[in-house]
Amino acid sequence: ADAPQPIAEAIAALELARNPRQARDAFWAIPGVLARWTALVALAARSRIGNARDAAGTVAAIRALGTKVPTDDDWLELATTLVKNHADEPDLHPVPELVLFVCGEGMQRYRELAALRPGLADAAASDEAIVERLGVALVTLSALLRHAMFACNYTLVVPTVEAGRAERWSGTRPAQRASQRLATTSPPGQPILVDETGAPVLALHPLVQVAEPAPGVVPEVFLFAGRAARGPKLVAFPAAFELHDHAILDWLRHPTAL
């Protein structure tokens, strides 16, 4: 299966980079989008299964989302807090592969990438130096993505008004969206993850939304990005369109989230 569109588009942007400096900028978007996706899937999973296996600090970490714009490290820390108490029995989690990723080699690959960031961020580096450092970093990024197959094992879809049907929002943006049959009816317009049979696994709304960035503009996938000056915001990658939805704060305060 393909990765969710935000991750797939971030990877495609790196492949389309025209020079080393563009490639460097595009490179860091990939682990950044993956970190946010990991945390949002973990948060949606907790909303489904409840708080019985919460680790210490879980509620505080969720509430903090409504007060700041988290960094990549913040998203990873949130994901770890949300799933670490499932490490002994990952199959009881709605997305077992997510638990294995967060509690296993995935986090090690993230730490290795973080150690490479200062060298790649060197503004004085020549194009040759950037190419060399990117080569090393790409090896680690490839390893990270191999461990993150949970993102590909479940298809991101948006149910349509036609009962039992949805549009696929996985992979890079197609000329025409493929249709997906659903095993059950789900609220139209609200993104969900489904398994290979079309059975819904997780409801992602309102943390993930599909909307037009402006009237008449092609719809994008927006991911919750924390609270900014104008309130809770969602961002589309890699175009960086923003969407604001105050209903997310209500969702974060709801008993199923806390």
Side-chain angles (χ1 to χ4, degrees):
D2 292 320
Q5 183 173 300
I7 298 174
E9 291 283 354
I11 294 171
L14 175 60
E15 295 172 345
L16 293 173
R18 296 182 179 180
N19 59 62
R21 296 178 190 277
Q22 284 186 357
R24 177 179 61 185
D25 294 341
F27 176 90
W28 290 112
I30 299 171
V33 176
L34 178 59
R36 186 171 307 181
W37 182 259
T38 300
L40 294 181
V41 172
L43 190 56
R46 183 188 176 279
S47 177
R48 170 182 157 181
I49 62 180
N51 59 10
R53 304 191 71 169
D54 273 2
T58 297
V59 171
I62 295 173
R63 286 176 173 160
L65 292 176
T67 66
K68 64 180 182 179
V69 176
T71 64
D72 292 351
D73 287 343
D74 290 334
W75 288 116
L76 293 173
E77 183 177 350
L78 173 63
T80 301
T81 299
L82 289 168
V83 307
K84 64 184 179 182
N85 278 3
H86 294 269
D88 56 338
E89 295 180 296
D91 287 342
L92 297 182
H93 191 272
V95 185
E97 302 93 330
L98 171 66
V99 179
L100 297 174
F101 173 72
V102 172
C103 299
E105 292 295 318
M107 288 300 116
Q108 178 59 32
R109 300 290 87 79
Y110 263 115
R111 287 190 287 271
E112 291 172 1
L113 274 180
L116 298 174
R117 184 183 285 271
L120 272 173
D122 182 5
S126 65
D127 284 358
E128 292 76 13
I130 293 174
V131 170
E132 181 180 354
R133 294 167 188 175
L134 273 175
V136 174
L138 281 168
V139 173
T140 304
L141 178 62
S142 296
L144 171 66
L145 294 176
R146 285 195 297 272
H147 287 291
M149 288 306 294
F150 78 89
C152 299
N153 290 350
Y154 303 90
T155 305
L156 174 63
V157 303
V158 178
T160 65
V161 292
E162 180 184 355
R165 305 298 302 183
E167 289 184 338
R168 293 172 61 97
W169 283 78
S170 293
T172 54
R173 186 180 290 104
Q176 183 174 357
R177 298 225 164 259
S179 180
Q180 168 86 36
R181 181 177 297 278
L182 300 179
T184 60
T185 300
S186 296
Q190 298 187 6
I192 60 175
L193 291 180
V194 298
D195 64 17
E196 67 277 4
T197 70
V201 175
L202 284 179
L204 300 178
H205 185 84
L207 303 173
V208 179
Q209 300 185 29
V210 170
E212 294 180 346
V217 178
V218 175
E220 297 275 355
V221 180
F222 289 83
L223 306 183
F224 176 50
R227 183 168 186 167
R230 293 175 55 191
K233 72 174 183 177
L234 301 95
V235 176
F237 293 93
F241 293 118
E242 290 190 6
L243 179 72
H244 295 268
D245 185 359
H246 288 270
I248 293 178
L249 286 184
D250 294 332
W251 188 92
L252 291 174
R253 297 186 186 113
H254 194 274
T256 57
L258 296 178

